[in-house]
């Protein structure tokens, strides 16, 4: 579905700001995912980015049908679909599919993480100045300016920083060792639910900005684990 429309998006509208886009593919993809879930698990709740929550259950699917919509709308091939199953608010199953690379990241709580069926692990990079490769993102509102301080501090240390534009893929890229760390402010539940589980199952660590073990805080900090404390100190200090 995503690949068929890439570069040929017909309808684009804005949500919170002029840069917060949604296309017809976002809505169409979410409807398809909801139909599949409803057919298999009619008693489960579903929380989706486009249609909100439907149902009330301790089992809740969290769906981002198109993470990286701005990239997708411009034909930039960094985007994905992200689906997680929460059990009493905690991610227990996660899947992130990168359409353009045909890469499917999956994880089940306690069973490890996979990329196209092959186990993956985080990197062994010991510190930010090894150097680590680090990713970040920016919220669509003015609070994104706060992140400029963090970015500047890392750049002054000589740490290469990337801004790919799809949170779920950033988390998965840390999980498989392509990147060593990632942080971002202002994510929503559907942005981080699946990717955070995949990273944890690959041996990484996910906290909020204060170090609490949750992917759902005001800030998410996700690393290979080895350099987590170092990155937290830097982010807190700046």
């Amino acid at each position: 579905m995503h690949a068929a429309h890439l570069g040929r998006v017909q309808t684009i509208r804005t949500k919170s700001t002029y840069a917060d886009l949604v296309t017809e593919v976002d809505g169409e993809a979410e409807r398809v995912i909801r139909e599949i879930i409803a057919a298999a698990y009619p008693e489960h709740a579903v929380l989706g980015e486009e249609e909100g929550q439907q149902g009330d259950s301790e089992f809740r699917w969290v769906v981002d049908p198109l993470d990286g919509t701005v990239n997708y709308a411009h034909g930039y091939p960094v985007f994905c679909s992200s689906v997680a199953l929460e059990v009493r608010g905690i991610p227990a199953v996660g899947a992130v599919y990168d359409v353009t690379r045909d890469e499917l990241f999956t994880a089940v709580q306690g069973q490890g993480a996979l990329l196209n069926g092959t186990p993956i692990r985080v990197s062994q990079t010991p510190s930010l100045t090894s150097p680590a490769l680090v990713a970040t993102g920016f919220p669509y509102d003015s609070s994104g300016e706060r992140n400029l301080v963090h970015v500047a501090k890392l750049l002054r240390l000589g740490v290469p920083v990337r801004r790919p534009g799809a949170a779920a893929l950033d988390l998965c890229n840390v999980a498989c060792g392509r990147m060593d760390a990632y942080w971002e402010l202002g994510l929503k539940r559907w942005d981080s639910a699946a990717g955070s589980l995949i990273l944890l199952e690959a041996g990484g660590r996910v906290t909020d900005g204060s170090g609490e073990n949750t992917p759902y805080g005001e800030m998410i900090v996700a690393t290979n684990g080895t350099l987590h404390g170092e990155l937290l100190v830097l982010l807190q200090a700046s």
Side-chain angles (χ1 to χ4, degrees):
M1 180 185 298
H2 298 117
H5 290 270
L6 183 61
R8 298 191 296 274
V9 175
Q10 299 298 312
T11 304
I12 301 175
R13 60 181 175 83
T14 59
K15 293 194 286 187
S16 60
T17 72
Y18 70 89
D20 187 7
L21 304 181
V22 61
T23 72
E24 75 270 18
V25 179
D26 294 76
E28 184 180 349
E30 183 167 319
R31 284 191 293 274
V32 170
I33 294 170
R34 284 178 179 272
E35 288 173 0
I36 293 171
I37 294 170
Y41 305 103
E43 72 281 8
H44 289 191
V46 180
L47 171 64
E49 180 177 11
E50 306 308 325
E51 297 183 22
Q53 179 153 336
Q54 296 175 359
D56 184 15
S57 169
E58 65 178 355
F59 299 97
R60 178 172 69 172
W61 295 85
V62 183
V63 178
D64 191 343
L66 179 51
D67 184 26
T69 299
V70 174
N71 290 346
Y72 182 81
H74 287 82
Y76 182 65
V78 180
F79 55 87
C80 63
S81 289
S82 174
V83 179
L85 172 63
E86 290 181 339
V87 180
R88 293 181 290 278
I90 299 175
V93 177
V96 174
Y97 182 54
D98 181 343
V99 180
T100 60
R101 295 175 63 89
D102 191 24
E103 291 188 337
L104 178 63
F105 296 87
T106 57
V108 177
Q109 190 177 45
Q111 297 184 28
L114 306 173
L115 168 53
N116 289 345
T118 300
I120 54 175
R121 294 293 293 177
V122 295
S123 74
Q124 298 300 309
T125 303
S127 71
L128 289 173
T129 55
S130 291
L133 181 60
V134 180
T136 190
F138 291 86
Y140 292 118
D141 59 28
S142 60
S143 67
E145 294 181 10
R146 293 169 51 195
N147 208 32
L148 294 176
V149 179
H150 303 320
V151 172
K153 196 160 188 177
L154 280 160
L155 292 177
R156 291 191 192 104
L157 289 174
V159 179
V161 178
R162 302 291 182 263
R163 200 276 196 218
L169 283 181
D170 289 336
L171 289 162
C172 290
N173 282 325
V174 177
C176 70
R178 292 172 182 159
M179 291 182 173
D180 304 297
Y182 159 71
W183 88 93
E184 187 164 348
L185 290 156
L187 291 185
K188 304 298 184 183
R189 211 171 186 92
W190 45 77
D191 295 313
S192 58
S196 63
L197 176 65
I198 292 165
L199 175 52
L200 288 170
E201 289 295 320
R205 187 176 176 196
V206 180
T207 71
D208 64 10
S210 69
E212 182 179 350
N213 293 321
T214 175
Y216 298 142
E218 179 188 13
M219 176 190 289
I220 187 170
V221 183
T223 74
N224 64 358
T226 308
L227 50 75
H228 199 91
E230 183 184 4
L231 180 58
L232 271 179
V233 168
L234 183 145
L235 294 173
Q236 292 166 354
S238 55

